[in-house]
Structures are given as structure tokens and as C-alpha cells.
């Protein structure tokens, strides 16, 4: 697709609204000058807008809207374009097919995180951003970076795992990629939105230090790298105060301590008062979902009521919104709908992410890669004849031809009426057939175990696809595969010793059949070309390189909260999103900042598979560790490919002990591609905040002087090289 060159459009725009643009290219000054020329009503008009979808009956949509997630009218008189907002990180969302224009689906966030590759995150973001722009949208509601505190969270597939460094780095790069299209990306959901159960009214409670060292650190790292134009605050309460009117989060942490210059938009149905403006919220999104027009008529009344605090904040909020429009480039070069999209080229980006993100969890007897000599293969289950599974909710994408299959899920929960599992048109069965043209490849749906077992008995190999559909608004009740799939795998594995399981899950699952199954791939939701990517890995065209971005527990009993808080409460309706309900606590003080692998390490628990884990068809060794101290740690070591295939390894460096306590933290990682016999020295410098603790009294990071121990390993549970160095004490600004 082509865009008008920036220099040209800047000139053109300058000619249109010369007095403002001529002043300076500095977004602060330009935004201030623009807001200075706005009437109060114009400023107020920027602070709220509807969800432009035909679900809300009589509300006529303002001119210029595109059916999507959000719309904020522009100010034509001053050349301020309207904000046209669409979801989300994994592609331009499908919104139930209302626009009838599909988009390229990236694999899930966890698949991307499993690549541990910032460069791929950037490329994926740039691709989705280009489609966003081509469809005429200028805000992508992307950047989901909530840490996985509960493997049953229905939205884990949108996020980037359990570690702040990994999630923050990849979210930042994805946002940078999106905004390279001169559009705005959000980062969301700020903050501590770690479960969907009761998300509109539960309170996630956490101490200041634990918060700064975990979820907030992920946001901080991502904001520094990606500079998103907007932050979307979350539905939930944090320490009993709604996240979208939480001054500690919005005014103190985000705007004061981090110096954030963009704006805070609400999540849809997450506003509960007009005072939210004073507490740091700048814009009410999807306003039909809230109970009142808090930032519409009510804010207008508050401003004309004469409370000067409202007037000043309206100026500030309008300035922040316009500033982000200017700093990202959309002000000077607004997208036009109808841009060309090269779907084939974009699908290749989705395919690359899938190929790199699939995790090989088990491979006994080197069953994989599959021998091309196999004569009889049976493929079983999970709609593998038509496509690959995707996750549900606002982030749902469907390809240009629409979904390949739609399976109704339903349920009493808020999303019940919209709960359909969609499959992307990328058939693993077809891809397997084309990899093994001389084999007889049969397919069984998996609905009848006896049928699958019968075919498995007659085959050389059985490849069982299983799916765990997850969606926004609903957590999964446990970590099992739904339906009869665990029993199906078990029966097939008993019938055929060469059984390979391909998991298509939103996040971790338990595997009661693991001992009986020689090979397991975690394919996540693998996106537009998932079927081809999975087949490439099964047959060895691609050497698997994914590493788990999230710990796979052996059972829910190992979790900080074995029972999901609020799970026994009656279900809520979708339209009642903004309605007040009694809150209930989700106690994050249990694990604090020790999320995932840190929790398992601190408790001495053994997971099913550790964070960072993933096998390859080749072997890697590590040697020559050097750890230098000083202001931070510089860790270098040699990685060698000692096997006989080219492969990508992801060596990881963990802090294992600091002067005052033993604790595990990922402080560096790097994907390295090596040919057989090749070796490379990797050198990583730790971000000092990863060595520090948050000092609540002084409101600063504090590094204690002393010896810091580290290890290099292929996952969080297996130290291979150990070292240490002395680090100077320091205090760092927030
Ligand atoms: C989700 C957001 C999404 C918004 C707009 C909300 O329900 O939590 O992530 O961006 O809807 O669709």
C-alpha cells in the first residue's frame, strides 16, 4: 500500500491551517496553540464519544464514523481530524462481520511473546497498523500488556505473558510498529486487570512496591519504548478505586512519575463519575456503555458551574489528545479509507510469527520432525480440516473471506450471545497433505473417540489437534481441555504409540495424558497462516524456536488463587457493564510481584513446564560466561549450535540472588540464529530497575550495593552457567 509522503502532506496541511502549523513542529507548542483557539464546547467534544456499532438502537452515528470500536468527532474549523478507533493488537477486528471487510490475523499475543523477538513484534505491529490505516482508522486499541497472573484469565491470549521485561519490551516494539504508520496505538488495560470474572467491579489489591515491580514495570518499559499516544485504563478497581478514576495510578504514577504526555482513554463502560476527569481520566470512550454522559452533558455542567479545576483539566485533556495526534503524525497525514492492502505479504508476516512462536514441549524418540516416509497419517480433531482456532471478544479478527468455521459456544455469561469460536481459513490438514503428497492422510473430527481410535490404529502416525477457546469477558473455570479432548488424546495415544498432540490454546493447560504422548506442540492461536506454520514445524521445514512466555502449572492448586475470586457470583449482562455492583477483592498481595516462574521458585513448586521452556530439532550449548558489575550487570556468554540443523535459540539471563534476598528475575534474553557448528557471543546489559527494589518511603528505585548472582539458561528452571558481580548502590528516579 502507498501513503502520501510525509513531507508533502506536512506542507499541504500547513497551507490549510497555517497560523498553527507555522509556529513549530514541537507537538507541545502546536497542541497548546490549537487548544488555545478552541471554544469550551470544542474542547469538551474531544473528551467523549460513542461506540459506532448498530447495537444501541436509536443513537444516530455522527457523520464520518466507520463501524468499529470508537469515534471522537473532530473540529473541522481547526483541522482537527476525528478519532476513528478500532481494536486491536492481533489485527483489525471483525466486529461480527458488520463491515464485511476482513483483515490479516496475527497469532495470539502469547504466540508472539513465545518468539521472544522484539523485531517480530515491531513487524507484526507495523503490519496491523498498515491495515488499520488502509481501512481509514487512525487509532488502534492495541498494546495489551497485562501480566498473566492467572492462567485461566480469558484474555491471556491477547497479552504477552507473565514477565515484565518480556511483555514490556514486546508491547513497546509492537506499539512502535503500529505508530510507524502515523496512527495512534493505545497501551492497555491500565492496570492490574488480570481476570475477566467480575472485571467491571472487582478490586485487585496490591502494595505499592509489588505493583511498581510487576505490572506497572511492564507498562513503564512499553511506554518508554513505544511511546503510545493513549493509555486505556482498565475496568476493575485497584485498591478499591476504579482504575479509570484512580488518581494514584493516573495522576501520580503515569502522568507525574513517568511524565506521560499522551491521554488516558477509558475502557468501554469503565467510567463511573465526572470527577474521574480530576483523577486523571481524559476521555470517555464508548459512552453508551456507561450509565451517564459523565464527560458529555455532566462535564459540561461541571465546567459551567464554575469549578476552576474542571476548566483547567478540560484544557489539559484536550491538549493531550491533540498532542498525540500531532506527535504520531496523523494530524498532518490523516488516513483515508479504501487504502490497498497486500494480504499475501501480510499473511507472510503472520506466518513468520506463528513459525517462530510454536513451542515444542516434548519430542521423545525424535518423533519430530516427521519422516516423509510415513505412508498412513491420521489427523484428528478441532476443525483441522478447515482452519485454526482464534480467541474471542473485542480483539476477534477474521480473514478477508470471513471465518472458515464458526462454532457456537454460548453460555450465561456477559458474552454468551456473542460467544462463537471462529477458525481462520488455514487448514492444517491441507498443509499436512501438501507436505506428505505420497501419504494417505485421513481425517477424523474427534467427535467420536471410537472412530478416531479406529483410524489411529491403522495409521503410522496420529496427529491430534485440540483446542481451548477462550474469550474476553469470561475466564476458563480450570486448566483442562474442554469437551472430550483429554479423553480423545488418551484413547488415541493408547491406540497409536506415534501420537503427536497439537495444542491450540489461549494459555496454559494441564496434560493428564502427557506420559503416554511422545510429542507435543503448543501452537497457541496461530493466526492467518497457522495451519501452514504448524505443518512446516511438524515436517521440519522450520526448526521450532518458541519458548513459553508463561509457566504451565501442573495443577490449579499451585496457583496463588486456586479458586478464581468471584467465580460463584451470578453472571452479569453485557449492557449492565457500567452498573454499580458490590465489589469483591482479588488479592494480589498473595504473590505480589512474584508472578509465574517467580512464584513457583519462591514456593519450591515444580510446574508442568517452566517459563522460557521450548525444545528444538538441534542442540545448543552455553559457555564462557562473563559477568561484569558496576552501575548494572553486563552478562556475556557464548551460544553454540552443536546439532545438525540451523535453529533459533533464546538464551535467557536470570538474576537469582541480590544482596538482600534470593529471588528470580529475567534480566535479559536474545533470540540467536545459528547454523550447525556456529557459535556467537551474546552480551546483555540489565536494565537497572530489574536489579532494584521499589522503595516506598522515598518513592524511588533502590539498588543495594553488593553481589548479584545470575544464571544463564534455556528456561527459568534450569540454570546452566552461574556467575556473579558486584553492583554499586544507587537510587533511581521512578
Ligand atoms: C475491551 C477493550 C476494547 C474495547 C473496545 C472493551 O470491552 O476491554 O480492550 O478495546 O472494549 O472494543
Amino acid at each position: 500500500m502507498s501513503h502520501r509522503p510525509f513531507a508533502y502532506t506536512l506542507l499541504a496541511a500547513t497551507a490549510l491551517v497555517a497560523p498553527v502549523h507555522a509556529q513549530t513542529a514541537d507537538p507541545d507548542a502546536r497542541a497548546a496553540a490549537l487548544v488555545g483557539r478552541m471554544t469550551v464546547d470544542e474542547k469538551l467534544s474531544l473528551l467523549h464519544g460513542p461506540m459506532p456499532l448498530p447495537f444501541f438502537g436509536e443513537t444516530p452515528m455522527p457523520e464520518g464514523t466507520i463501524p468499529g470500536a470508537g469515534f471522537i468527532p473532530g473540529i473541522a474549523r481547526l483541522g482537527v481530524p476525528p478519532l476513528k478507533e478500532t481494536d486491536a493488537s492481533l489485527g483489525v477486528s471483525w466486529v461480527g462481520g458488520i463491515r464485511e471487510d476482513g483483515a490479516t490475523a496475527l497469532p495470539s499475543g502469547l504466540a508472539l511473546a513465545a518468539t521472544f523477538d522484539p523485531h517480530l513484534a515491531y513487524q507484526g505491529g507495523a503490519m496491523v497498523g498498515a491495515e488499520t490505516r488502509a481501512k481509514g482508522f487512525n487509532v488502534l486499541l492495541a498494546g495489551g500488556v497485562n501480566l498473566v497472573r492467572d492462567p485461566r484469565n480469558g484474555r491471556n491470549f491477547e497479552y504477552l505473558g507473565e514477565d515484565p521485561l518480556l511483555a514490556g519490551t514486546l508491547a513497546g516494539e509492537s506499539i512502535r510498529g503500529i505508530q510507524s504508520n502515523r496512527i495512534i496505538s493505545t497501551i492497555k488495560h491500565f492496570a492490574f486487570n488480570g481476570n475477566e470474572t467480575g472485571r467491571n467491579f472487582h478490586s485487585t489489591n496490591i502494595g505499592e512496591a509489588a505493583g511498581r515491580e510487576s505490572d506497572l514495570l511492564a507498562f513503564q518499559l512499553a511506554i518508554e519504548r513505544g511511546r503510545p499516544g493513549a493509555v486505556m485504563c482498565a475496568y476493575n478497581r485497584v485498591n478499591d478505586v476504579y482504575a479509570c478514576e484512580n488518581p494514584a495510578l493516573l495522576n501520580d504514577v503515569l502522568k507525574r512519575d513517568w511524565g506521560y504526555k499522551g491521554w488516558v482513554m477509558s475502557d468501554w463502560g469503565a467510567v463511573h463519575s465526572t470527577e474521574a476527569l480530576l483523577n486523571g481520566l481524559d476521555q470517555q470512550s464508548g459512552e453508551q456503555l456507561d450509565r451517564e454522559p459523565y464527560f458529555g452533558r455532566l462535564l459540561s455542567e461541571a465546567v459551567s458551574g464554575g469549578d476552576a479545576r474542571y476548566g483547567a483539566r478540560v484544557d489539559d485533556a484536550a491538549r493531550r489528545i491533540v498532542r498525540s495526534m500531532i506527535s504520531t503524525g496523523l494530524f498532518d497525514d490523516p488516513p483515508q479509507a479504501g487504502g490497498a492492502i497486500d494480504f499475501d505479504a501480510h499473511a507472510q508476516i503472520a506466518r513468520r510469527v506463528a513459525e517462530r512462536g510454536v513451542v515444542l514441549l516434548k519430542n521423545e524418540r525424535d518423533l519430530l520432525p516427521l519422516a516423509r516416509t510415513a505412508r498412513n497419517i491420521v489427523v484428528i480433531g478441532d476443525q483441522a480440516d478447515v482452519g485454526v482456532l482464534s480467541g474471542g471478544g473485542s480483539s476477534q479478527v477474521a480473514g478477508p473471506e470471513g471465518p472458515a468455521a464458526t462454532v457456537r459456544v454460548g453460555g450465561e455469561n456477559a458474552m454468551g450471545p456473542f460467544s462463537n469460536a471462529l477458525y481462520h481459513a488455514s487448514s492444517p490438514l491441507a498443509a499436512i497433505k501438501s507436505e506428505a503428497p505420497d501419504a494417505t492422510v485421513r481425517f477424523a473430527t474427534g467427535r467420536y473417540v471410537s472412530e478416531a481410535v479406529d483410524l489411529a490404529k491403522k495409521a503410522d502416525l496420529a496427529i491430534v489437534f485440540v483446542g481451548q477457546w477462550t474469550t474476553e469477558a469470561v475466564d476458563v473455570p480450570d486448566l483442562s481441555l474442554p469437551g472430550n479432548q483429554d479423553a480423545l488424546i488418551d484413547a488415541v495415544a493408547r491406540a497409536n504409540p506415534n501420537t503427536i498432540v497439537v495444542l491450540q490454546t489461549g494459555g496454559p493447560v494441564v496434560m493428564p495424558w502427557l506420559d503416554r504422548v511422545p510429542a507435543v506442540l503448543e501452537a497457541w492461536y496461530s493466526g492467518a497462516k497457522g495451519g501452514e506454520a504448524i505443518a512446516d514445524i511438524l515436517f521440519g521445514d522450520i526448526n521450532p524456536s518458541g519458548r513459553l512466555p508463561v509457566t504451565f502449572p501442573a495443577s490449579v492448586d499451585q496457583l496463588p488463587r486456586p479458586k478464581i475470586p468471584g467465580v460463584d457470583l451470578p453472571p452479569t449482562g453485557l449492557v449492565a457493564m457500567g452498573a454499580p455492583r458490590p465489589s469483591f477483592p482479588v488479592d494480589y498481595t498473595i504473590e505480589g510481584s512474584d508472578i509465574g516462574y517467580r512464584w513457583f521458585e519462591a514456593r519450591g513448586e515444580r510446574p508442568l513446564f517452566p517459563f522460557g521452556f521450548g525444545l528444538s530439532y538441534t542442540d545448543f550449548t552455553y559457555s564462557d560466561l562473563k559477568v561484569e558489575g558496576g552501575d548494572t550487570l553486563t552478562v556475556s556468554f557464548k551460544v553454540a549450535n552443536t546439532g545438525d540443523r540451523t535453529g533459533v535459540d533464546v538464551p535467557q539471563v536470570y538474576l537469582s540472588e541480590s544482596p538482600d534476598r534470593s529471588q528470580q528475575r529475567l534480566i535479559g534474553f536474545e533470540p540467536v540464529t545459528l547454523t550447525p557448528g556456529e557459535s556467537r557471543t551474546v552480551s546483555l546489559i540489565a536494565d537497572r530497575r530489574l536489579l532494584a527494589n521499589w522503595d516506598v518511603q522515598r518513592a524511588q528505585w533502590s539498588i543495594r550495593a553488593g553481589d548479584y548472582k545470575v544464571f544463564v539458561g534455556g528456561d527459568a528452571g534450569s540454570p546452566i552457567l552461574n556467575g556473579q558481580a558486584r553492583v554499586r548502590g544507587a537510587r533511581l528516579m521512578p
Side-chain angles (χ1 to χ4, degrees):
M1 49 170 301
S2 68
H3 299 304
R4 292 179 293 162
F6 180 71
Y8 160 74
T9 51
L10 186 63
L11 273 178
T14 306
L16 277 174
V17 275
V20 172
H21 287 205
Q23 287 185 7
T24 168
D26 172 2
D28 293 300
R30 282 180 63 190
L34 260 172
V35 172
R37 296 174 60 200
M38 289 178 194
T39 65
V40 175
D41 283 345
E42 284 170 340
K43 288 180 243 182
L44 284 166
S45 73
L46 293 177
L47 307 198
H48 64 103
M51 183 173 207
L53 286 177
F55 300 146
F56 301 96
E58 65 293 345
T59 330
M61 285 303 140
E63 217 187 301
T65 54
I66 311 174
F71 180 82
I72 304 290
I75 306 169
R77 177 179 85 82
L78 298 173
V80 179
L83 292 176
K84 301 181 183 180
E85 303 170 347
T86 179
D87 289 294
S89 304
L90 311 181
V92 178
S93 68
W94 172 243
V95 288
I98 288 164
R99 280 194 321 274
E100 294 182 348
D101 63 337
T104 305
L106 280 177
S108 68
L110 285 180
L112 172 65
T115 71
F116 277 65
D117 191 335
H119 186 61
L120 276 179
Y122 180 90
Q123 288 187 326
M127 181 277 276
V128 175
E131 294 195 5
T132 305
R133 186 177 177 91
K135 290 171 187 292
F137 292 105
N138 55 18
V139 179
L140 187 64
L141 307 172
V145 74
N146 298 85
L147 296 184
V148 176
R149 283 178 181 265
D150 188 330
R152 297 158 299 187
N153 176 18
R155 290 189 97 168
N156 285 338
F157 76 91
E158 293 185 53
Y159 302 145
L160 297 161
E162 66 190 24
D163 179 76
L165 175 65
L166 177 64
T169 305
L170 296 190
E173 286 303 306
S174 159
I175 291 164
R176 233 166 47 77
I178 294 165
Q179 293 195 162
S180 70
N181 294 285
R182 299 176 311 291
I183 60 168
I184 288 168
S185 173
T186 56
I187 187 169
K188 67 189 188 183
H189 307 86
F190 194 66
F192 305 107
N193 183 179
N195 276 103
E196 292 297 285
T197 305
R199 65 174 178 175
N200 299 93
F201 46 100
H202 71 224
S203 175
T204 49
N205 298 332
I206 188 163
E208 156 109 32
R212 296 267 192 171
E213 292 167 13
S214 59
D215 302 59
L216 295 181
L217 183 55
F219 275 97
Q220 189 176 11
L221 295 172
I223 289 172
E224 288 168 3
R225 262 186 187 252
R227 303 190 174 281
V231 170
M232 187 193 296
C233 50
Y235 282 124
N236 51 290
R237 295 173 164 99
V238 177
N239 295 330
D240 296 327
V241 181
Y242 281 115
C244 285
E245 56 184 46
N246 192 311
L249 278 180
L250 305 180
N251 283 340
D252 300 350
V253 173
L254 179 69
K255 291 180 177 174
R256 183 195 65 202
D257 292 351
W258 299 349
Y260 181 66
K261 291 188 163 187
W263 88 95
V264 178
M265 70 164 75
S266 74
D267 202 339
W268 274 233
V271 186
H272 301 273
S273 71
T274 303
E275 295 81 61
L277 184 81
L278 303 180
N279 295 328
L281 179 66
D282 297 301
Q283 191 179 61
Q284 179 182 12
S285 320
E287 60 193 349
Q288 314 98 309
L289 291 164
D290 290 313
R291 281 202 311 153
E292 302 283 352
Y294 296 110
F295 280 32
R297 181 176 49 78
L298 296 181
L299 180 55
S300 176
E301 284 167 18
V303 170
S304 45
D307 183 337
R309 295 173 310 160
Y310 281 99
R313 271 291 291 133
V314 166
D315 283 2
D316 178 46
R319 201 162 41 230
R320 285 170 174 277
I321 294 164
V322 176
R323 184 195 188 278
S324 286
M325 291 186 191
I326 294 168
S327 68
T328 50
L330 79 83
F331 190 98
D332 296 314
D333 184 15
Q336 306 295 330
I341 296 176
D342 186 343
F343 283 114
D344 290 338
H346 287 185
Q348 290 314 312
I349 294 172
R351 181 170 182 163
R352 218 170 306 143
V353 175
E355 289 169 347
R356 289 281 310 280
V358 171
V359 184
L360 177 61
L361 291 173
K362 187 173 178 186
N363 193 18
E364 259 174 26
R365 296 182 268 120
D366 287 339
L367 183 58
L368 298 178
L370 294 177
R372 283 179 204 273
T373 49
R375 282 282 157 264
N376 291 295
I377 301 176
V378 59
V379 174
I380 299 165
D382 203 22
Q383 319 284 336
D385 54 335
V386 291
V388 289
L389 186 57
S390 61
S394 59
S395 70
Q396 178 76 62
V397 182
E401 315 301 332
T406 302
V407 178
R408 170 146 171 79
V409 179
E412 300 191 289
N413 53 65
M415 287 302 227
F418 310 100
S419 281
N420 296 311
L422 267 48
Y423 288 77
H424 295 310
S426 171
S427 159
L429 178 66
I432 288 168
K433 281 183 176 167
S434 79
E435 289 275 358
D438 300 331
T440 304
V441 183
R442 301 286 308 274
F443 177 69
T445 61
R447 284 164 64 81
Y448 293 96
V449 172
S450 61
E451 180 193 41
V453 163
D454 235 34
L455 287 177
K457 277 187 185 151
K458 294 180 199 139
D460 310 326
L461 292 166
I463 308 173
V464 188
F465 283 79
V466 286
Q468 177 214 39
W469 182 74
T470 63
T471 181
E472 177 180 343
V474 191
D475 294 326
V476 290
D478 58 39
L479 295 175
S480 66
L481 290 168
N484 70 343
Q485 298 180 104
D486 280 323
L488 174 71
I489 295 171
D490 197 82
V492 170
R494 284 173 197 271
N496 188 322
N498 298 328
T499 293
I500 296 126
V501 170
V502 180
L503 297 162
Q504 308 195 74
T505 67
V509 287
V510 292
M511 305 175 202
W513 33 261
L514 188 59
D515 287 345
R516 255 185 297 284
V517 171
V520 182
L521 284 179
E522 172 57 86
W524 316 105
Y525 301 147
S526 51
K529 289 284 171 197
E532 287 83 352
I534 292 166
D536 280 348
I537 287 177
L538 288 172
F539 285 89
D541 300 331
I542 296 286
N543 188 350
S545 60
R547 301 288 184 267
L548 294 180
V550 56
T551 307
F552 274 45
S555 107
V556 291
D557 297 329
Q558 294 180 318
L559 302 176
R561 287 165 293 282
K563 185 169 170 181
I564 299 172
V567 74
D568 296 330
L569 294 171
T572 54
L574 186 68
V575 261
M577 285 220 291
R581 274 170 194 267
S583 187
F584 64 86
V586 182
D587 188 2
Y588 284 179
T589 66
I590 298 171
E591 76 277 27
S593 58
D594 283 336
I595 302 173
Y597 64 89
R598 293 169 50 167
W599 168 257
F600 277 75
E601 194 263 346
R603 306 265 295 195
E605 292 273 357
R606 249 179 92 83
L608 186 62
F609 290 104
F611 175 89
F613 180 80
L615 302 171
S616 166
Y617 296 152
T618 187
D619 297 307
F620 299 101
T621 59
Y622 304 149
S623 64
D624 301 302
L625 175 68
K626 279 201 205 76
V627 187
E628 282 167 51
D631 285 337
T632 184
L633 291 174
T634 306
V635 181
S636 59
F637 51 95
K638 208 151 118 187
V639 194
N641 181 346
T642 56
D644 54 10
R645 278 169 188 268
T646 296
V648 182
D649 186 32
V650 185
Q652 300 145 44
V653 182
Y654 294 88
L655 178 69
S656 56
E657 203 173 314
S658 45
D660 42 6
R661 57 180 166 145
S662 120
Q663 58 175 348
Q664 211 176 58
R665 290 180 182 182
L666 180 69
I667 60 170
F669 59 86
E670 187 164 307
V672 202
T673 306
L674 296 171
T675 55
E678 196 188 0
S679 65
R680 173 121 22 106
T681 297
V682 172
S683 187
L684 299 165
I685 301 171
D687 185 309
R688 295 167 83 197
R689 288 167 291 193
L690 298 169
L691 307 180
N693 292 320
W694 181 259
D695 180 336
V696 176
Q697 250 67 51
R698 296 181 192 237
Q700 283 180 339
W701 296 102
S702 158
I703 298 181
R704 220 162 119 177
D707 288 331
Y708 285 71
K709 294 190 180 164
V710 298
F711 72 82
V712 178
D715 63 67
S718 328
I720 294 174
L721 307 174
N722 290 283
Q724 67 178 64
R726 223 178 149 65
V727 176
R728 276 191 282 280
R731 299 197 161 278
L732 313 172
M733 292 311 284

